Tab-separated table of all heavy atoms in Angstrom:
chain	number	residue	atom	x	y	z
A	1	ILE	N	81.368	154.880	25.111
A	1	ILE	CA	80.649	154.100	24.102
A	1	ILE	C	81.328	152.740	23.908
A	1	ILE	O	80.666	151.708	23.882
A	1	ILE	CB	80.530	154.891	22.776
A	1	ILE	CG1	79.607	156.087	23.036
A	1	ILE	CG2	80.030	154.004	21.644
A	1	ILE	CD1	79.378	157.009	21.899
A	2	GLU	N	82.653	152.745	23.806
A	2	GLU	CA	83.393	151.483	23.686
A	2	GLU	C	83.182	150.627	24.933
A	2	GLU	O	82.993	149.410	24.830
A	2	GLU	CB	84.893	151.744	23.509
A	2	GLU	CG	85.251	152.404	22.188
A	2	GLU	CD	86.678	152.964	22.174
A	2	GLU	OE1	87.227	153.307	23.238
A	2	GLU	OE2	87.231	153.047	21.080
A	3	LEU	N	83.211	151.267	26.096
A	3	LEU	CA	83.012	150.545	27.349
A	3	LEU	C	81.622	149.914	27.380
A	3	LEU	O	81.463	148.752	27.766
A	3	LEU	CB	83.202	151.487	28.546
A	3	LEU	CG	83.143	150.849	29.930
A	3	LEU	CD1	84.288	149.849	30.122
A	3	LEU	CD2	83.198	151.919	31.015
A	4	GLY	N	80.615	150.662	26.933
A	4	GLY	CA	79.246	150.142	26.871
A	4	GLY	C	79.129	148.948	25.949
A	4	GLY	O	78.507	147.932	26.289
A	5	LYS	N	79.737	149.043	24.768
A	5	LYS	CA	79.696	147.934	23.807
A	5	LYS	C	80.419	146.709	24.366
A	5	LYS	O	79.955	145.575	24.222
A	5	LYS	CB	80.315	148.352	22.474
A	5	LYS	CG	79.443	149.302	21.679
A	5	LYS	CD	79.818	149.286	20.209
A	5	LYS	CE	79.012	150.226	19.356
A	5	LYS	NZ	77.591	150.327	19.660
A	6	THR	N	81.568	146.931	24.996
A	6	THR	CA	82.323	145.834	25.620
A	6	THR	C	81.480	145.183	26.713
A	6	THR	O	81.406	143.960	26.803
A	6	THR	CB	83.655	146.365	26.195
A	6	THR	OG1	84.417	146.922	25.124
A	6	THR	CG2	84.448	145.260	26.862
A	7	GLY	N	80.828	146.002	27.528
A	7	GLY	CA	79.969	145.497	28.593
A	7	GLY	C	78.829	144.656	28.057
A	7	GLY	O	78.527	143.578	28.584
A	8	GLU	N	78.203	145.118	26.969
A	8	GLU	CA	77.108	144.352	26.364
A	8	GLU	C	77.596	143.001	25.859
A	8	GLU	O	76.909	141.990	26.005
A	8	GLU	CB	76.448	145.145	25.232
A	8	GLU	CG	75.491	146.185	25.739
A	8	GLU	CD	74.770	146.938	24.629
A	8	GLU	OE1	74.660	146.427	23.499
A	8	GLU	OE2	74.303	148.058	24.911
A	9	GLU	N	78.787	142.989	25.284
A	9	GLU	CA	79.365	141.736	24.789
A	9	GLU	C	79.641	140.781	25.954
A	9	GLU	O	79.356	139.582	25.867
A	9	GLU	CB	80.651	142.054	24.011
A	9	GLU	CG	81.139	140.951	23.117
A	9	GLU	CD	80.143	140.544	22.028
A	9	GLU	OE1	79.419	141.397	21.485
A	9	GLU	OE2	80.090	139.344	21.732
A	10	ILE	N	80.184	141.309	27.044
A	10	ILE	CA	80.461	140.494	28.240
A	10	ILE	C	79.154	139.918	28.789
A	10	ILE	O	79.060	138.719	29.082
A	10	ILE	CB	81.183	141.344	29.312
A	10	ILE	CG1	82.615	141.673	28.856
A	10	ILE	CG2	81.201	140.625	30.667
A	10	ILE	CD1	83.296	142.769	29.678
A	11	ALA	N	78.126	140.771	28.904
A	11	ALA	CA	76.829	140.333	29.430
A	11	ALA	C	76.195	139.283	28.516
A	11	ALA	O	75.644	138.280	28.988
A	11	ALA	CB	75.891	141.526	29.584
A	12	PHE	N	76.275	139.512	27.210
A	12	PHE	CA	75.712	138.585	26.226
A	12	PHE	C	76.323	137.192	26.396
A	12	PHE	O	75.614	136.198	26.528
A	12	PHE	CB	75.967	139.130	24.807
A	12	PHE	CG	75.432	138.257	23.712
A	12	PHE	CD1	74.078	138.243	23.426
A	12	PHE	CD2	76.281	137.458	22.970
A	12	PHE	CE1	73.571	137.431	22.410
A	12	PHE	CE2	75.796	136.650	21.952
A	12	PHE	CZ	74.431	136.639	21.671
A	13	ASN	N	77.655	137.134	26.429
A	13	ASN	CA	78.348	135.840	26.571
A	13	ASN	C	78.091	135.211	27.936
A	13	ASN	O	77.941	133.991	28.045
A	13	ASN	CB	79.840	136.005	26.299
A	13	ASN	CG	80.102	136.278	24.830
A	13	ASN	OD1	79.510	135.654	23.950
A	13	ASN	ND2	80.948	137.242	24.549
A	14	TYR	N	78.017	136.029	28.969
A	14	TYR	CA	77.734	135.557	30.321
A	14	TYR	C	76.373	134.842	30.362
A	14	TYR	O	76.246	133.747	30.917
A	14	TYR	CB	77.763	136.751	31.280
A	14	TYR	CG	77.353	136.434	32.692
A	14	TYR	CD1	78.266	135.885	33.594
A	14	TYR	CD2	76.061	136.694	33.137
A	14	TYR	CE1	77.898	135.600	34.900
A	14	TYR	CE2	75.684	136.416	34.439
A	14	TYR	CZ	76.602	135.861	35.320
A	14	TYR	OH	76.233	135.580	36.612
A	15	LEU	N	75.359	135.458	29.743
A	15	LEU	CA	74.021	134.862	29.753
A	15	LEU	C	73.931	133.644	28.835
A	15	LEU	O	73.257	132.667	29.166
A	15	LEU	CB	72.963	135.913	29.404
A	15	LEU	CG	72.813	136.996	30.486
A	15	LEU	CD1	71.980	138.153	29.975
A	15	LEU	CD2	72.229	136.428	31.764
A	16	LEU	N	74.624	133.681	27.709
A	16	LEU	CA	74.679	132.486	26.851
A	16	LEU	C	75.266	131.302	27.625
A	16	LEU	O	74.780	130.179	27.529
A	16	LEU	CB	75.521	132.734	25.596
A	16	LEU	CG	74.906	133.539	24.471
A	16	LEU	CD1	75.896	133.625	23.305
A	16	LEU	CD2	73.592	132.955	23.997
A	17	ASN	N	76.312	131.577	28.399
A	17	ASN	CA	76.946	130.520	29.198
A	17	ASN	C	76.013	129.972	30.274
A	17	ASN	O	76.210	128.857	30.749
A	17	ASN	CB	78.243	131.023	29.842
A	17	ASN	CG	79.350	131.180	28.820
A	17	ASN	OD1	79.345	130.528	27.775
A	17	ASN	ND2	80.294	132.058	29.091
A	18	LYS	N	75.018	130.746	30.681
A	18	LYS	CA	74.020	130.297	31.654
A	18	LYS	C	72.839	129.601	30.957
A	18	LYS	O	71.793	129.398	31.562
A	18	LYS	CB	73.500	131.482	32.478
A	18	LYS	CG	74.501	131.996	33.507
A	18	LYS	CD	73.973	133.224	34.230
A	18	LYS	CE	73.121	132.856	35.425
A	18	LYS	NZ	72.797	134.033	36.278
A	19	GLN	N	73.005	129.306	29.663
A	19	GLN	CA	72.005	128.612	28.845
A	19	GLN	C	70.798	129.475	28.479
A	19	GLN	O	69.732	128.955	28.184
A	19	GLN	CB	71.527	127.304	29.527
A	19	GLN	CG	72.649	126.353	29.934
A	19	GLN	CD	73.580	125.993	28.778
A	19	GLN	OE1	73.124	125.548	27.733
A	19	GLN	NE2	74.871	126.209	28.942
A	20	TYR	N	70.948	130.778	28.527
A	20	TYR	CA	69.892	131.666	28.049
A	20	TYR	C	69.914	131.641	26.525
A	20	TYR	O	70.980	131.551	25.915
A	20	TYR	CB	70.130	133.095	28.528
A	20	TYR	CG	69.757	133.365	29.972
A	20	TYR	CD1	70.227	132.574	31.012
A	20	TYR	CD2	68.936	134.442	30.300
A	20	TYR	CE1	69.883	132.830	32.331
A	20	TYR	CE2	68.581	134.714	31.616
A	20	TYR	CZ	69.064	133.898	32.625
A	20	TYR	OH	68.716	134.163	33.920
A	21	LYS	N	68.740	131.716	25.904
A	21	LYS	CA	68.632	131.693	24.439
A	21	LYS	C	68.448	133.123	23.933
A	21	LYS	O	67.479	133.798	24.291
A	21	LYS	CB	67.432	130.826	24.037
A	21	LYS	CG	67.231	130.735	22.548
A	21	LYS	CD	65.993	129.898	22.220
A	21	LYS	CE	65.579	130.189	20.782
A	21	LYS	NZ	64.137	130.103	20.592
A	22	SER	N	69.367	133.576	23.111
A	22	SER	CA	69.336	134.947	22.595
A	22	SER	C	68.228	135.123	21.561
A	22	SER	O	68.102	134.330	20.631
A	22	SER	CB	70.686	135.278	21.958
A	22	SER	OG	70.607	136.554	21.350
A	23	LEU	N	67.426	136.170	21.735
A	23	LEU	CA	66.383	136.504	20.764
A	23	LEU	C	66.706	137.784	20.000
A	23	LEU	O	66.372	137.904	18.827
A	23	LEU	CB	65.026	136.674	21.466
A	23	LEU	CG	64.471	135.464	22.200
A	23	LEU	CD1	63.135	135.817	22.843
A	23	LEU	CD2	64.316	134.272	21.271
A	24	ASN	N	67.322	138.746	20.682
A	24	ASN	CA	67.567	140.033	20.042
A	24	ASN	C	68.616	140.835	20.800
A	24	ASN	O	68.746	140.679	22.012
A	24	ASN	CB	66.254	140.829	19.989
A	24	ASN	CG	66.110	141.613	18.709
A	24	ASN	OD1	66.985	142.410	18.387
A	24	ASN	ND2	65.023	141.395	17.995
């Protein structure tokens, strides 16, 4: 569960850095 949450955080920041706009 911790690994999953960490992975989601990594993916979230990775996509933000690619100029993706977060909706949800």
